[in-house]
Amino acid sequence: MITVLRAGPLTTVQDLGRPGYAHLGVPRSGALDIPALRRANRLAGNPDATAVLETTLMGCRLRFEAPATVAVTGAVATVKLDREPVSGPVVDVPAGGVLEVGRAVRGVRSYLAVAGGIAVEAVLGSRSTDTLAGIGPERLTDGMTLPVGTVSGGVDGVAGDGSEIGEEIELGIRLGPRDDWFDVAGLFGTPYTISPMSNRVGARLAGTAVTRARAGELPSEGVVLGAVQVPADGQPIVFLADHPTTGGYPVIGVVGDVTPLAQARPGTTVRFRDLD
């Protein structure tokens, strides 16, 4: 059992998500930084799909009621055990030990895996918290407790590398289905920055507005992970894990890999590259 002493601004339980339910209005959800989740689980000896904790910017502090092996990956942050900094991503926590993931100094989200996994109840086959639909376990709050699952016999294979965290990222995009509604040259000809209004639903970008080439509005239509929706103000939004499954604003294109956005802090420069 784990007791949450400090939950942080947004700490949630995440795994690989719940694919296959978009027709019911349920997005995949899951960890924003899948490589970091996989690495944390492998370091802790868990299968890749095991549920972990995803923190946001300010980390969290937890007390472990039983001995545990813990791995922390993702954003660069100081990790302390009983107030003492630890070196390396894997920590053996004694019974009663207090582990703290500190403020992220690079990146946004840290991933904390516990051997055996976070054993909250699964919903539609996943333990992920969906912040938009409200499906899955509640976000962590101070004082709540979390069950830990049974430790497995270990996982074969290397842990793998972590995600790159930089001051500028490039996103490959395939245009469509509504690129004919816009002057697409503007999308590729200007850098954008990540807005502070970004969250697990989408990364809001700020920069030169994408110009409409066609007037009018659309009825709502399906949207997918990585869809780049352009609202009336012309500032693109890249949909992330907790995105809605339909939307009324036209989609200019779809980003092939949204992983770099998981660790992109507000102010990070974003450029688009045409994949077609």
Side-chain angles (χ1 to χ4, degrees):
M1 187 73 70
I2 299 171
T3 301
V4 179
L5 302 180
R6 181 178 64 82
L10 179 62
T11 300
T12 58
V13 180
Q14 299 294 339
D15 54 23
L16 296 179
R18 48 180 68 84
Y21 295 98
H23 64 294
L24 299 177
V26 179
R28 180 173 184 139
S29 192
L32 290 190
D33 191 339
I34 294 293
L37 174 141
R38 292 181 188 275
R39 183 167 187 261
N41 270 326
R42 294 182 184 187
L43 288 168
N46 295 328
D48 287 355
T50 304
V52 308
L53 297 182
E54 178 186 273
T55 72
T56 307
L57 285 175
M58 300 305 292
C60 65
R61 186 167 70 249
L62 312 168
R63 183 175 66 240
F64 289 75
E65 309 305 335
T69 298
V70 176
V72 181
T73 63
V76 178
T78 298
V79 178
K80 296 181 179 180
L81 175 61
D82 294 331
R83 300 181 183 272
E84 293 297 324
V86 299
S87 60
V90 180
V91 186
D92 290 321
V93 183
V98 174
L99 187 81
E100 181 169 19
V101 179
R103 177 178 62 87
V105 294
R106 289 182 58 228
V108 177
R109 295 172 176 89
S110 295
Y111 291 84
L112 188 153
V114 183
I118 305 298
V120 295
E121 183 179 357
V123 178
L124 296 178
S126 170
R127 294 181 168 89
S128 288
T129 301
D130 184 329
T131 60
L132 181 65
I135 295 173
E138 296 181 0
R139 59 192 287 178
L140 269 61
T141 56
D142 295 355
M144 76 184 298
T145 58
L146 299 168
V148 176
T150 303
V151 178
S152 68
V155 177
D156 294 331
V158 297
D161 295 327
S163 303
E164 293 185 5
I165 301 174
E167 299 300 321
E168 180 172 324
I169 60 177
E170 182 180 78
L171 299 176
I173 183 174
R174 288 184 170 86
L175 296 176
R178 304 297 177 183
D179 52 307
D180 58 333
W181 284 53
F182 301 96
D183 175 10
V184 297
L187 184 71
F188 299 113
T190 179
Y192 293 89
T193 57
I194 299 288
S195 164
M197 300 299 291
S198 301
N199 53 30
R200 282 184 49 86
V201 176
R204 294 179 178 270
L205 306 182
T208 302
V210 180
T211 305
R212 277 279 196 108
R214 177 174 172 180
E217 297 300 331
L218 281 170
S220 291
E221 55 187 4
V223 293
V224 297
L225 177 69
V228 181
Q229 195 180 68
V230 184
D233 64 2
Q235 302 296 316
I237 301 171
V238 184
F239 279 143
L240 302 179
D242 291 351
H243 68 85
T245 55
T246 62
Y249 292 119
V251 171
I252 192 172
V254 178
V255 170
D257 180 12
V258 298
T259 301
L261 293 170
Q263 302 294 354
R265 299 169 76 101
T268 299
T269 299
V270 176
R271 298 179 185 274
F272 287 102
R273 172 174 54 87
D274 191 353
L275 292 176
D276 293 325

